[in-house]
Amino acid sequence: MKQLRNILTGVLLACGLSLPAVSMQADSIPAAQNGLVAELDSMAQRDDVTPAEQEENTVDVKEIVFGHIGDSYEWHITDFGETKVIIPLPVIVYSGTTGWHVFLSSRLEENGGCYEGLSIAPEGSKYEGKLVEHDAAGNEVRPWDISITKVTLALLINSVLLIVIVLSVARWYRRHPQDSAAPGGFVGFMEMFIMMVNDDVIKSCVGPKYRKFAPYLLTAFFFIFINNLMGLIPVFPGGANVTGNIAITMVLAVCTFLAVNIFGTKAYWKDIFWPDVPWWLKVPVPMMPFIEFFGIFTKPFALMIRLFANMLAGHMAMLVLTCLIFISASMGPALNGSLTVASVLFNIFMNGLELLVAFIQAYVFTMLSAVFIGLAQEEHTEKAGEKKAIK
């Protein structure tokens, strides 16, 4: 860059000597040369940025994205300059060698990242981001961890919110007789919501025995829906990626798995181990029974992955779009301004889309769970009716 400055300066001086000695031009050329030299000097100074300064000004998109969607032992709310506003959460672990440890996560930072022999595993470790201890050989050992992490706290807050909403609606119905006027406001909105899910999804998919499974399916729908909505709120107590955590979706899928297989009828199990297919597909190699039995586990697995992947992808897309503003900050005002406008517009669009996805994912999970439960409740009444007609 400095060589370029010297070359351009020499060219301009040569052009200035060859021009006519007009007073206006003679006054303007040195001014132009001085302005160009000043600009080239500033470019050279910007070009001499040290690697340390460049690293300090670089936005770590990976840390921002995975720091938000991942779990942690503290809840970072915001920053005011150099001051970080963080809620420390209780760490509760049991070590096989040192017993129980209960303390706030802020103790780790106060003591250089290690407290009572426990520390958070660094990047690259198989326990990255989790509390570990070291055995006599220096190997990382994972203790039994029941700490209240960010996702756990958000799960508790959202569950309390769900309980308050449901009990407030139930309280209104307890205080009003059955033949009273229809409720309005929030209670009327919740009644419409509940009847829509109950009549259009649960009743139509499960069949005549839908009342037995309606409490679980309604709870699953509103639990997923509220957690999805709270995840879109950028300030505390929202913003946690609860339904984008595979452990949460796994528990929901296991609940559906138990509801399907514990309450499945004899006809359901008969169709699994002896389906109505040609005999050569069942003996001597039980190909179809094996496929049907394998399908018992693939159905809840699909439920788990679908909800997890869709909610995780939405959070990641919005965070990456937001990071474009900071990534382009060093690319000049024109590019940074255009990318900032594009980032804001796309984020508004993505937030609107995520509101729709929050409902759709809760609806799809409930509908598929109801379909799987309904398939396990069939009694093959058509064949029984055919046998009676033949007799």
Side-chain angles (χ1 to χ4, degrees), residues 186-205:
F186 180 74
V187 177
F189 172 75
M190 287 301 298
E191 180 183 354
M192 176 197 69
F193 225 160
I194 293 170
M195 295 307 296
M196 182 269 294
V197 177
N198 184 73
D199 295 342
D200 296 345
V201 179
I202 300 174
K203 188 175 181 179
S204 60
C205 294

Side-chain angles (χ1 to χ4, degrees), residues 106-145:
S106 57
R107 296 289 187 183
L108 292 169
E109 186 175 357
E110 293 171 359
N111 293 272
C114 184
Y115 186 71
E116 295 184 358
L118 299 169
S119 60
I120 296 179
E123 184 178 356
S125 170
K126 65 177 180 178
Y127 302 121
E128 179 180 346
K130 301 297 181 182
L131 278 173
V132 295
E133 58 181 350
H134 294 83
D135 57 14
N139 299 319
E140 292 180 346
V141 179
R142 184 90 167 94
W144 190 48
D145 193 350

Side-chain angles (χ1 to χ4, degrees), residues 77-93:
I77 298 178
T78 187
D79 291 341
F80 289 105
E82 297 296 328
T83 305
K84 294 184 178 181
V85 180
I86 296 174
I87 299 177
L89 300 176
V91 174
I92 308 171
V93 296

